[in-house]
Amino acid sequence: MQGELLFFMQFLLSGLSMGSIYALVALGFVLIYKSTSILNLAQGEILMVGAYICLSMTLDFGLNFFASFIITMVFSVILGLAIERLVLRPLIGEPIISVIMVTLGLTYILRGVVIMLWGNDIRQFNIFPEEPVDLWGVKLTYLYLWSMGISLLLLTGFAIFFKYARTGIFMRAVADHQTASQSMGISVKRVFAISWCIAAVVSSIGGILVGNIGGVGVSLSYIGLKVLPAVIFGGLDSILGAIIGGLIVGVLEFLTAGYLDPYVPALNEVFPFIVLVLVLMVRPYGLFGTEEIERV
Amino acid sequence: MAGEVVIEIQNISLAFGGVQALIDVSTKHMRGEIFAIIGPNGAGKTCLLNCISRFYNPQKGLVIYKGEDITRVSTHSIAKRGIARTFQNIELFKGMTVLDNIKLGRHSFLKSGIFSDIIYYGRTIREELKLRNEIEERIIDLLEIEAIRKQVVGTLPYGLQKRVELARALAMQPEVLLLDEPMAGMNLEETEDMARFILNVNSMWGVSIILVEHDMGVVMDISDRVCVLEFGRKIAEGSPRDIQGDPKVISAYLGQDQKTYSRL
């Protein structure tokens, strides 16, 4: 491949691998929103906690990366369950806005706990080899390839899970209609708990991947803020939308970095959101979201 | 078959704040019968159904199902006990196809769990699924919805959605079926179809039916017994013929001193 195209492909592929991580985190948002209609603002903090646990297991306790990964997953399940049971279940029946504010409070608590336990420094994993792989001229690090691979694998896995597994079908049913699900013998509480578990697990995996790329620090939690517009962009209640929204934000971010940053520095942090705002002006319910039709 | 009490309501009282929705209502539902609950708007008919299907918690009284007190069991466990229901305003999974909606009725019967999903295909489960498929086919045949089985529910006309909701409830193979205004908003032809389905389900499969309905013609035609509520109180119970002649019922519907009317 020659010059221009190569340059484009380089940023496109990097963007896609970053975007696939965003998509993973976005999936967490959508799962919780769909089944419980709560927007979980603490998603980014759950991601950060996951990254810290994995880092701590690898560096402080000297476990190998795979073992730390598994431990982090187990911990995420427990964290998800704990948040659902201790923080959100007592709030069932309260106005949605209060519940969302509680998740905002949760962000400060989780951030505070992380700083208490691990301090404020940014630390590196340094597990994957630095030298890039050459794909027909496009150079990607192993880390990016792994991120893309793992994310795509998980996203496909979940797509199949929602389509065919019984628990997945239950989750769709509850998202669609809670009282009807109850009358069909589906335990709505159980579905809520499972949603939180899965959301915590995918966020933690996202955290570990991003943490490997840019280092683990408290600033990781801002990924949550970056993914939130991607989710809204794709449609808060659409899993497909979340995935595509995540990918688009990743790609836009990297393409802007490649093409526009030389003229306007650091535009790549902002540009995806300018596009999101424009899209939302045309489609307020997001690309794939359900259009709310109120019948009077 | 007859004579055995399936659901017994003992002195149920239900209030929302200061509004008394049900006051000291008691009644019995026998196995195999079609039992209608009627009454003017706001009489508490749906509230009574919601107490049986555990959406509401009555402040006083008991709901006994086959000798077991189910007044405080969890809502989702009602389905597993064999009580299925339909709703006044259709509550289907609108994003799914007709067949998926019906199949959801089967799921609560299998032991569920994420891990059993993964090791799903044991031999017994496969046989169970095969049996379930046959049952679902029979339901689809009976309710005459073969043609729409692959369609997304949200796109169907109202009358068909009502039918799909009944099919979904039947897929749970209930012993008792609670129908909340199954004919509401239907035209004459659709109403007659629905009445025929209800009678078939009752006579062919022996499902006991509790029915809330406003269409008096239908209620009097298909019910074995009728219970009348007014402002949360039971004012009469008996055969359709008795009810039609009951002065309390007539005054509830038509106001007092209107004896010349005999529309009931």
Side-chain angles (χ1 to χ4, degrees):
Chain A
M1 278 193 283
Q2 62 286 67
E4 268 308 295
L5 182 63
L6 193 64
F7 186 76
F8 176 75
M9 289 303 288
Q10 176 71 49
F11 283 99
L12 180 71
L13 285 180
S14 312
L16 278 178
S17 40
M18 196 46 132
S20 58
I21 303 178
Y22 292 161
L24 211 52
V25 182
L27 180 69
F29 270 109
V30 172
L31 271 184
I32 291 179
Y33 182 79
K34 252 179 103 81
S35 57
T36 66
S37 60
I38 292 166
L39 187 60
N40 174 27
L41 294 176
Q43 200 74 29
E45 278 67 21
I46 296 176
L47 172 155
M48 169 188 71
V49 171
Y52 265 105
I53 301 239
C54 189
L55 179 94
S56 183
M57 288 296 150
T58 339
L59 297 188
D60 302 339
F61 292 88
L63 296 174
N64 80 26
F65 181 67
F66 186 69
S68 329
F69 188 84
I70 300 293
I71 291 174
T72 312
M73 292 308 99
V74 173
F75 178 83
S76 310
V77 168
I78 297 169
L79 181 68
L81 278 180
I83 293 178
E84 198 273 335
R85 183 61 66 102
L86 300 176
V87 183
L88 292 147
R89 196 168 291 181
L91 289 169
I92 285 179
E94 299 294 326
I96 289 291
I97 188 73
S98 333
V99 183
I100 295 176
M101 286 300 119
V102 167
T103 68
L104 190 62
L106 207 57
T107 66
Y108 289 99
I109 295 173
L110 289 176
R111 230 181 281 171
V113 168
V114 161
I115 295 174
M116 268 163 54
L117 289 178
W118 287 290
N120 237 335
D121 306 330
I122 293 180
R123 295 165 75 189
Q124 303 288 342
F125 268 104
N126 294 328
I127 289 164
F128 292 91
E130 283 285 319
E131 65 271 20
V133 192
D134 197 314
L135 296 168
W136 304 283
V138 178
K139 289 186 171 57
L140 284 178
T141 61
Y142 279 105
L143 200 49
Y144 273 77
L145 285 176
W146 270 102
S147 301
M148 184 143 56
I150 292 175
S151 308
L152 292 181
L153 197 69
L154 280 170
L155 291 172
T156 329
F158 278 113
I160 294 169
F161 172 75
F162 287 119
K163 190 117 183 69
Y164 299 108
R166 207 161 53 244
T167 309
I169 296 170
F170 284 177
M171 291 175 77
R172 280 195 292 149
V174 169
D176 213 334
H177 214 302
Q178 275 183 27
T179 40
S181 311
Q182 279 184 313
S183 79
M184 308 298 294
I186 298 170
S187 165
V188 172
K189 283 178 184 162
R190 198 167 147 263
V191 166
F192 283 7
I194 293 171
S195 306
W196 275 90
C197 283
I198 296 179
V201 165
V202 290
S203 303
S204 293
I205 295 174
I208 295 169
L209 295 175
V210 184
N212 265 296
I213 292 173
V216 177
V218 177
S219 58
L220 262 187
S221 61
Y222 296 124
I223 301 274
L225 280 185
K226 197 179 261 181
V227 173
L228 181 58
V231 175
I232 295 171
F233 173 66
L236 253 177
D237 54 0
S238 161
I239 288 171
L240 178 71
I243 294 170
I244 291 177
L247 289 175
I248 288 179
V249 169
V251 169
L252 279 178
E253 195 183 329
F254 273 77
L255 287 182
T256 325
Y259 286 98
L260 298 177
D261 269 18
Y263 311 107
V264 190
L267 185 66
N268 67 326
E269 294 287 327
V270 186
F271 189 72
F273 301 114
I274 298 176
V275 177
L276 298 190
V277 169
L278 291 177
V279 170
L280 288 181
M281 283 164 82
V282 185
R283 289 180 69 90
Y285 35 86
L287 279 182
F288 299 90
T290 327
E291 195 173 350
E292 289 272 332
I293 302 170
E294 266 188 57
R295 294 198 174 82
V296 186
Chain B
M1 199 158 107
E4 185 198 344
V5 177
V6 187
I7 291 181
E8 184 174 359
I9 312 249
Q10 289 180 355
N11 308 94
I12 286 274
S13 289
L14 173 74
F16 299 102
V19 181
Q20 279 286 337
L22 292 171
I23 306 159
D24 205 26
V25 174
S26 299
T27 185
K28 280 178 188 163
H29 173 51
M30 308 293 173
R31 182 173 294 279
E33 75 176 352
I34 298 182
F35 183 68
I37 302 170
I38 63 169
N41 284 328
K45 307 179 294 287
T46 299
C47 287
L48 193 56
L49 278 199
N50 282 344
C51 286
I52 300 174
S53 60
R54 292 289 301 112
F55 285 117
Y56 291 162
N57 285 318
Q59 280 84 6
K60 267 187 258 161
L62 295 176
V63 181
I64 312 281
Y65 172 66
K66 294 200 292 184
E68 179 197 10
D69 178 8
I70 58 164
T71 325
R72 291 284 179 268
V73 301
S74 67
T75 312
H76 67 267
S77 72
I78 286 292
K80 296 191 174 82
R81 288 180 160 80
I83 303 177
R85 70 168 293 173
T86 66
F87 296 85
Q88 192 169 350
N89 306 308
I90 300 166
E91 311 216 344
L92 287 163
F93 306 112
K94 292 208 164 49
M96 301 185 188
T97 64
V98 171
L99 202 57
D100 283 345
N101 264 281
I102 294 172
K103 281 185 185 303
L104 257 170
R106 97 166 31 143
H107 284 296
S108 62
F109 278 81
L110 305 170
K111 278 213 184 82
S112 64
I114 297 190
F115 296 105
S116 64
D117 275 345
I118 299 164
I119 20 176
Y120 200 81
Y121 284 101
R123 183 150 168 249
T124 43
I125 294 181
R126 209 161 37 224
E127 275 165 12
E128 160 118 25
L129 284 178
K130 196 169 157 241
L131 178 71
R132 299 283 321 161
N133 276 333
E134 284 165 16
I135 292 163
E136 279 152 18
E137 289 311 316
R138 268 169 47 204
I139 293 168
I140 288 171
D141 277 351
L142 182 80
L143 300 186
E144 298 162 13
I145 47 177
E146 300 90 342
I148 53 161
R149 53 196 294 164
K150 292 270 156 61
Q151 286 186 42
V152 175
V153 163
T155 62
L156 294 172
Y158 180 83
L160 282 179
Q161 290 197 17
K162 281 265 182 195
R163 230 186 264 185
V164 175
E165 209 189 10
L166 177 61
R168 187 185 63 183
L170 285 175
M172 294 157 69
Q173 289 180 279
E175 284 183 52
V176 179
L177 190 56
L178 313 177
L179 302 174
D180 196 352
E181 301 201 14
M183 282 90 170
M186 289 188 159
N187 63 29
L188 186 63
E189 193 187 336
E190 287 169 330
T191 304
E192 281 171 354
D193 281 342
M194 187 55 92
R196 181 162 53 88
F197 297 143
I198 293 172
L199 285 170
N200 282 344
V201 166
N202 178 251
S203 62
M204 287 163 63
W205 297 345
V207 180
S208 311
I209 291 170
I210 299 182
L211 173 82
V212 167
E213 183 51 58
H214 274 295
D215 189 325
M216 283 309 137
V218 173
V219 168
M220 297 306 165
D221 280 350
I222 69 174
S223 322
D224 298 312
R225 274 187 324 125
V226 180
C227 160
V228 189
L229 297 179
E230 187 193 19
F231 298 122
R233 288 177 206 278
K234 187 171 95 171
I235 57 170
E237 184 175 315
S239 70
R241 180 178 292 275
D242 295 343
I243 292 297
Q244 274 169 315
D246 191 311
K248 272 204 222 152
V249 177
I250 294 170
S251 78
Y253 269 89
L254 302 170
Q256 266 142 15
D257 302 314
Q258 299 265 349
K259 294 197 180 78
T260 44
Y261 289 88
S262 58
R263 207 172 60 106
L264 269 170

